[in-house]
Amino acid sequence: RGSSYRMFKTLVERLPVIPCSRWGRSLTQPIALADVVELARYCLLHPSPVTRNCDIGSPDILTYRELLERTACLLGLKRIFLDLPITGTLWCRYWIQRGTGAPTELVRPLLESMRHSMVARDRHLQAEAGIPGRSFEQAVREALAEERSGSHIPRTSTERAAARRSNPRTYLYHVRSVQRIPLPAGRMAQRHLIPNCP
């Protein structure tokens, strides 16, 4: 359900020919949202006595081009990928926005991050928690199955309006965002992630 996943999926669905600039060779290690939630829950249940930074990711390390190719394969689509010797992001931003309809505020930071390899340096937290993470293929298959079952979150205004009409009592808006905010005195984050936590 991540915004990057939706963008790549839409790109593969809509474009029969996908140009790849040099950013297509950068490495990425995507992780499923469900694995992130499980790891956050583990951290709350097993607090560390010291502050530490932890990298997380799926077992798969792949280039952005491989990510697009595997997505096309999982969707059962034949796509042509063209390597272009271009390093800038301006033209990429233009055609990705045109191809996916994604806003500039989403496309720009994604493209800037794609200039660099985004690979977990040490996945010790996942080893400690016993949560190696879903493979890329498994995560995409689960997302596709969820979409086909109708349980995915509507994205466009048309989808949201249709969802409200078909099921007005149970339809909810979902917002996902990572923020760093100080907790008010006497409050604990555990109350929001762990059922029946005092």
Side-chain angles (χ1 to χ4, degrees), residues 69-87:
E69 289 172 341
R70 290 193 191 184
T71 301
C73 183
L74 290 165
L75 291 170
L77 300 171
K78 291 184 179 181
R79 294 295 180 251
I80 297 171
F81 295 87
L82 297 177
D83 283 322
L84 300 177
I86 298 173
T87 56

Side-chain angles (χ1 to χ4, degrees), residues 89-118:
T89 59
L90 184 62
W91 77 274
C92 289
R93 189 170 70 214
Y94 173 77
W95 72 262
I96 288 177
Q97 283 181 258
R98 296 280 295 182
T100 66
T104 304
E105 296 78 16
L106 178 62
V107 176
R108 184 185 296 124
L110 177 66
L111 284 175
E112 291 300 323
S113 71
M114 290 167 69
R115 290 182 173 188
H116 313 282
S117 289
M118 306 288 281

Side-chain angles (χ1 to χ4, degrees), residues 28-156:
T28 185
Q29 194 169 2
I31 186 167
L33 177 62
D35 292 326
V36 176
V37 172
E38 286 179 32
L39 288 164
R41 185 173 287 120
Y42 174 84
C43 289
L44 290 171
L45 290 171
H46 304 85
S48 172
V50 295
T51 299
R52 57 182 180 161
N53 297 318
C54 303
D55 289 352
I56 60 175
S58 74
D60 299 324
I61 298 174
L62 54 160
T63 65
Y64 283 100
R65 175 172 172 157
E66 289 173 328
L67 183 148
L68 290 167
E69 289 172 341
R70 290 193 191 184
T71 301
C73 183
L74 290 165
L75 291 170
L77 300 171
K78 291 184 179 181
R79 294 295 180 251
I80 297 171
F81 295 87
L82 297 177
D83 283 322
L84 300 177
I86 298 173
T87 56
T89 59
L90 184 62
W91 77 274
C92 289
R93 189 170 70 214
Y94 173 77
W95 72 262
I96 288 177
Q97 283 181 258
R98 296 280 295 182
T100 66
T104 304
E105 296 78 16
L106 178 62
V107 176
R108 184 185 296 124
L110 177 66
L111 284 175
E112 291 300 323
S113 71
M114 290 167 69
R115 290 182 173 188
H116 313 282
S117 289
M118 306 288 281
V119 177
R121 292 163 295 184
D122 182 358
R123 298 196 307 141
H124 64 273
L125 173 65
Q126 289 177 261
E128 176 188 314
I131 305 172
R134 293 158 173 79
S135 68
F136 175 76
E137 282 84 359
Q138 181 184 355
V140 172
R141 283 194 185 99
E142 288 178 6
L144 292 173
E146 187 177 77
E147 291 170 13
R148 289 175 185 139
S149 70
S151 61
H152 75 289
I153 297 173
R155 299 297 175 189
T156 66

